[in-house]
Amino acid sequence: MRLTVIGCSGSYPGPGSAASCYLLEADHEGRTWRVLLDLGSGALGTLQQHVDAATIDAVLLSHLHADHCLDLCGFYVMRKFHPSGAMPRIPVWGPPDTAARMARAYDLEEEPGMTEEFDFQTYEQTALAFGPFSITARRVVHPVTAYALRIEAEGRVLAYSGDTGVCHGLDDAAREADLFLCEASFLEGVPNPPDLHLTGLEAGATAARAGARRLVLTHVPPWHDAATVLTEAQEAFEGPVELARVGTTYDV
Ligand SMILES: [Zn+2]
Ligand SMILES: [Zn+2]
């Protein structure tokens, strides 16, 4: 699998990055399959610097906060009104109310909303198979319904935290992952609200507890010093750890 960071800014776009979006690719049956993990504010623009956005096969949303889903609106316009013709309907996995939420986001009637462009589907308890990917979603703790994603292909495992506090669901998703892409939105030493986000230290401790092999920290908000988040994570995790950067591709 190849993971490319499209947007990694936490909670809102920063000066050098869109909000959350990651491109995951794997070769299968003679072609490259491409899925997006989240499609947050500003990410659709950056995506086009890396790949033809028309070649995306599916979108996996971790939750419905604006910084993780709002650029589905532009993606809907591109797919529906492209002068060379409407593009095929593709699956969008997300929380149960994703279709209605995205219709409201674009100010569409709920019927049909975006359902002619996107086949909205919910995550099940069991793994779902899509092309080369086996995708498992685990509920995590956040003010809205939110999932961590565990994606396997070619015998390798990528885990993505979405937004979450410390919880068993996150530990499960990250278990022995080859690459753990984990949010780190908070700093230690201040009274952070519970069940919302992780500090760098908590991200590192989660990676250590889960036996992840490599940790990439993401979703650091522009108002924090990312170097501090990195230092915190290194205190808790002895393996390789780095900050996500726009345009970086990882071979998982
Ligand atoms: Zn977020
Ligand atoms: Zn969120």
Side-chain angles (χ1 to χ4, degrees):
M1 278 182 283
R2 294 178 301 282
L3 178 76
T4 300
V5 178
I6 303 299
C8 58
S9 184
S11 301
Y12 60 99
S17 176
S20 295
C21 181
Y22 310 91
L23 170 66
L24 187 62
E25 299 172 291
D27 298 326
H28 179 64
E29 294 178 341
R31 73 173 181 95
T32 300
W33 291 64
R34 298 189 172 95
V35 300
L36 297 178
L37 312 182
D38 285 335
L39 188 49
S41 330
L44 182 60
T46 312
L47 177 68
Q48 295 166 79
Q49 296 174 11
H50 296 275
V51 70
D52 179 352
T55 65
I56 298 301
D57 294 297
V59 180
L60 306 170
L61 298 175
S62 65
H63 65 300
L64 297 176
H65 277 156
D67 59 316
H68 296 258
C69 71
L70 265 198
D71 268 23
L72 201 68
C73 292
F75 197 39
Y76 153 80
V77 171
M78 190 203 89
R79 299 193 69 87
K80 183 179 180 72
F81 297 111
H82 199 285
S84 60
M87 297 175 197
R89 195 167 176 243
I90 59 170
V92 174
W93 277 276
D97 52 343
T98 302
R101 168 79 170 83
M102 295 318 303
R104 287 199 301 278
Y106 199 81
D107 205 10
L108 298 168
E109 297 294 330
E110 274 194 26
E111 291 296 332
M114 298 184 185
T115 59
E116 290 169 355
E117 291 70 34
F118 300 124
D119 178 16
F120 291 101
Q121 302 191 33
T122 54
Y123 298 110
E124 307 288 340
Q125 287 295 316
T126 52
L128 65 96
F130 183 72
F133 306 109
S134 173
I135 301 155
T136 309
R138 287 276 172 265
R139 279 291 300 272
V140 291
V141 291
H142 202 54
V144 297
T145 301
Y147 302 89
L149 299 173
R150 177 184 177 87
I151 303 173
E152 305 187 40
E154 301 159 339
R156 308 283 284 178
V157 177
L158 166 76
Y160 169 49
S161 65
D163 283 3
T164 180
V166 175
C167 64
H168 292 301
L170 181 63
D171 288 2
D172 263 3
R175 186 88 47 220
E176 294 179 0
D178 294 290
L179 192 152
F180 180 28
L181 178 64
C182 186
E183 73 120 289
S185 313
F186 285 160
L187 299 178
E188 290 289 318
V190 293
N192 295 310
D195 297 341
L196 182 58
H197 287 300
L198 301 169
T199 65
L201 191 75
E202 289 168 335
T206 300
R209 205 164 47 241
R213 294 183 179 83
R214 182 176 189 183
L215 174 61
V216 177
L217 300 166
T218 192
H219 200 280
V220 179
W223 56 49
H224 284 332
D225 175 22
T228 305
V229 173
L230 177 63
T231 302
E232 284 186 13
Q234 287 168 330
E235 285 173 29
F237 182 64
E238 292 184 350
V241 50
E242 64 193 281
L243 292 163
R245 284 188 205 292
V246 174
T248 302
T249 297
Y250 299 94
D251 277 315
V252 180

